[in-house]
Amino acid sequence: RLTFLAVCGIILLSGMYYQAATTPVEEAVRATSDYETAGAMEKAPDVKLPGMDGDMYTVGQFSDKPLLLTFFASWCDICQKELPQLSQLYESNKDKFHVAAVNATSKEYRKEDVYSFVREAKLSMPVLLDKEGEAIEAFHVSMVPVSFLIDTNGTIQNTFYGPISADELNKELRSIPSS
């Protein structure tokens, strides 16, 4: 009997784990619904961060086109799937908008993982390193991925929790008023 109960318990726990693992996006969106991030129609904080390429970047330097500023961590499964897709979208639409990825470096387990992830994913957009957590604090980021669509005036037009589809992003880009 004890063996039977142990097997039933393992099956039950496996089923619960499987269900939780198959719906991470919905869980992330639900979990973040009560968190306050920098909101729509607020001025985006103009943080200054080092890029992986050695240059220094500010949010304001991307003001010639709308900017999708996306926060990620190398250990985040959703981010691992989303960022290569955003990179491809960015490559084919550089004339329409900017994308900058901000790594939550202060929340990484191992800093080397960031470099490995970016190299393996072949990310083409600037990757900024938030080593001290100042961008996370300025944008009130509590979990990743979260992205902010910022217009040419530096105003946050929308906040996205979880991954963004190309269709959703293009729709939002069309709705941004021209400056």
Side-chain angles (χ1 to χ4, degrees), residues 62 64-68 96-98 149-152 173 176:
F62 297 101
D64 61 318
K65 293 180 269 195
L67 167 66
L68 181 69
K96 296 179 187 167
F97 65 96
H98 294 286
L149 185 58
I150 303 168
D151 68 16
T152 56
L173 286 166
I176 291 180

Side-chain angles (χ1 to χ4, degrees), residues 19-97:
Q19 183 166 352
T22 58
T23 58
V25 173
E26 291 85 2
E27 291 296 319
V29 171
R30 250 194 321 272
T32 58
S33 62
D34 292 334
Y35 292 107
E36 239 182 85
T37 57
M41 306 320 283
E42 285 183 24
K43 203 72 164 159
D46 196 23
V47 293
K48 184 176 186 177
L49 297 172
M52 285 184 62
D53 59 5
D55 291 341
M56 289 300 287
Y57 291 87
T58 63
V59 172
Q61 82 183 67
F62 297 101
S63 65
D64 61 318
K65 293 180 269 195
L67 167 66
L68 181 69
L69 188 67
T70 186
F71 287 79
F72 78 99
S74 66
W75 46 261
C76 166
D77 289 338
I78 297 170
C79 303
Q80 291 171 5
K81 294 174 186 156
E82 178 191 37
L83 281 171
Q85 294 171 356
L86 281 178
S87 183
Q88 289 174 349
L89 187 63
Y90 167 66
E91 274 301 312
S92 59
N93 292 285
K94 280 184 177 180
D95 59 322
K96 296 179 187 167
F97 65 96

Side-chain angles (χ1 to χ4, degrees), residues 6-20:
V7 169
C8 288
I10 291 171
I11 292 171
L12 177 67
L13 289 173
S14 297
M16 290 170 58
Y17 175 78
Y18 173 77
Q19 183 166 352

Side-chain angles (χ1 to χ4, degrees), residues 20 67 82 110-111 174:
L67 167 66
E82 178 191 37
R110 295 177 349 137
K111 309 298 186 243
R174 285 191 299 273

Side-chain angles (χ1 to χ4, degrees), residues 160-174:
F160 304 94
Y161 302 98
I164 307 164
S165 72
D167 291 339
E168 183 179 18
L169 181 57
N170 284 323
K171 177 184 169 196
E172 290 297 324
L173 286 166
R174 285 191 299 273

